[in-house]
Amino acid sequence: QKEVEQNSGPLSVPEGAIASLNCTYSDRGSQSFFWYRQYSGKSPELIMFIYSNGDKEDGRFTAQLNKASQYVSLLIRDSQPSDSATYLCAVNRGADKIIFGKGTRLHILP
Amino acid sequence: DAGVTQSPTHLIKTRGQQVTLRCSPKSGHDTVSWYQQALGQGPQFIFQYYEEEERQRGNFPDRFSGHQFPNYSSELNVNALLLGDSALYLCASSFSTGVRYNEQFFGPGTRLTVL
């Protein structure tokens, strides 16, 4: 079982709709959880991090964490074509060692 | 304020050769982490340097080694290159504060092709 699992997609969402990205992790000791966005040919960019169970909102983005289910999700409201990218879920394994999933390709349809 | 810089941007080597990649962290950062990202995969943690020492290491063979200099810049060395080493190599820097997590800022990466 991989440490961080994501559906590779592509996930196609109409412009203006809500995009929902999901991730599961295997290590119950994981404490910090991240969503990175990576445009094709570019390096990852941190867009959200969450430590506690529940929801965390930042603009159009909402991260959700359920430690009991070992599940992290990212919601993008009012999706824009510029949101088309690969979204990487990651967990922190101590002292800034980050374990990434394979990423989910998101395509926003104009 | 310059962000994380990496050199070179692209590199082509042949099997068996050795390569050195370089990274300069963001100003004020003292920790450098290296990742390998194969095509269609997420970045994989190679190792992390802090105070000129390797602090953590991922599941990579000893062919992968590194160094951190007093000015916090870092090098990644790969010996005896294999075709499977072809990937985007990412450097990320952060400032270690001892809190739960310190945000890592990624450089643009070095694209290594092994023929």
Side-chain angles (χ1 to χ4, degrees):
Chain A
Q1 179 187 13
K2 293 200 179 293
E3 289 200 55
V4 180
E5 297 213 51
Q6 298 179 254
N7 187 324
S8 60
L11 175 65
S12 295
V13 173
E15 184 175 356
I18 296 175
S20 178
L21 303 160
N22 305 312
C23 169
T24 58
Y25 61 94
S26 61
D27 185 354
R28 287 194 171 273
S30 301
Q31 295 188 331
S32 308
F33 307 87
F34 313 94
W35 284 99
Y36 283 80
R37 178 176 60 201
Q38 187 173 28
Y39 292 113
S40 181
K42 301 295 185 182
S43 55
E45 172 193 13
L46 181 67
I47 54 172
M48 291 286 291
F49 64 88
I50 187 168
Y51 301 143
S52 305
N53 275 329
D55 295 0
K56 179 181 179 182
E57 186 175 320
D58 183 1
R60 296 186 297 111
F61 299 95
T62 298
Q64 299 175 316
L65 174 61
N66 183 325
K67 289 188 177 182
S69 301
Q70 296 174 248
Y71 178 89
V72 193
S73 65
L74 178 70
L75 301 178
I76 306 174
R77 289 181 299 281
D78 188 24
S79 296
Q80 303 297 311
S82 59
D83 294 327
S84 296
T86 295
Y87 288 80
L88 299 162
C89 174
V91 304
N92 189 15
R93 290 289 307 281
D96 301 340
K97 176 181 177 180
I98 302 178
I99 306 300
F100 286 87
K102 283 189 175 182
T104 298
R105 284 181 295 137
L106 176 64
H107 182 49
I108 306 301
L109 305 170
Chain B
D1 176 27
V4 182
T5 61
Q6 292 186 245
S7 63
T9 54
H10 295 85
L11 203 52
I12 299 175
K13 292 285 188 178
T14 56
R15 280 178 297 175
Q17 285 189 309
Q18 178 264 344
V19 68
T20 297
L21 311 181
R22 295 177 175 83
C23 171
S24 290
K26 185 177 168 67
S27 178
H29 286 185
D30 59 5
T31 302
V32 174
S33 303
W34 286 93
Y35 295 84
Q36 179 196 67
Q37 187 174 24
L39 201 61
Q41 303 294 315
Q44 283 199 302
F45 178 80
I46 302 174
F47 43 51
Q48 183 182 85
Y49 277 85
Y50 172 68
E51 293 188 340
E52 301 181 51
E53 291 191 357
E54 184 182 290
R55 179 159 72 174
Q56 291 198 87
R57 189 178 182 91
N59 193 24
F60 278 80
D62 291 345
R63 297 187 298 109
F64 290 78
S65 63
H67 190 76
Q68 186 179 35
F69 300 94
N71 67 353
Y72 307 116
S73 67
S74 177
E75 288 182 348
L76 164 65
N77 301 293
V78 187
N79 294 322
L81 284 167
L82 304 174
L83 295 179
D85 295 332
S86 295
L88 179 68
Y89 288 85
L90 295 161
C91 165
S93 75
S94 57
F95 177 61
S96 291
T97 62
V99 300
R100 192 190 322 216
Y101 170 72
N102 305 291
E103 182 176 353
Q104 295 189 10
F105 292 80
F106 282 84
T110 294
R111 173 73 62 186
L112 172 65
T113 302
V114 182
L115 302 178

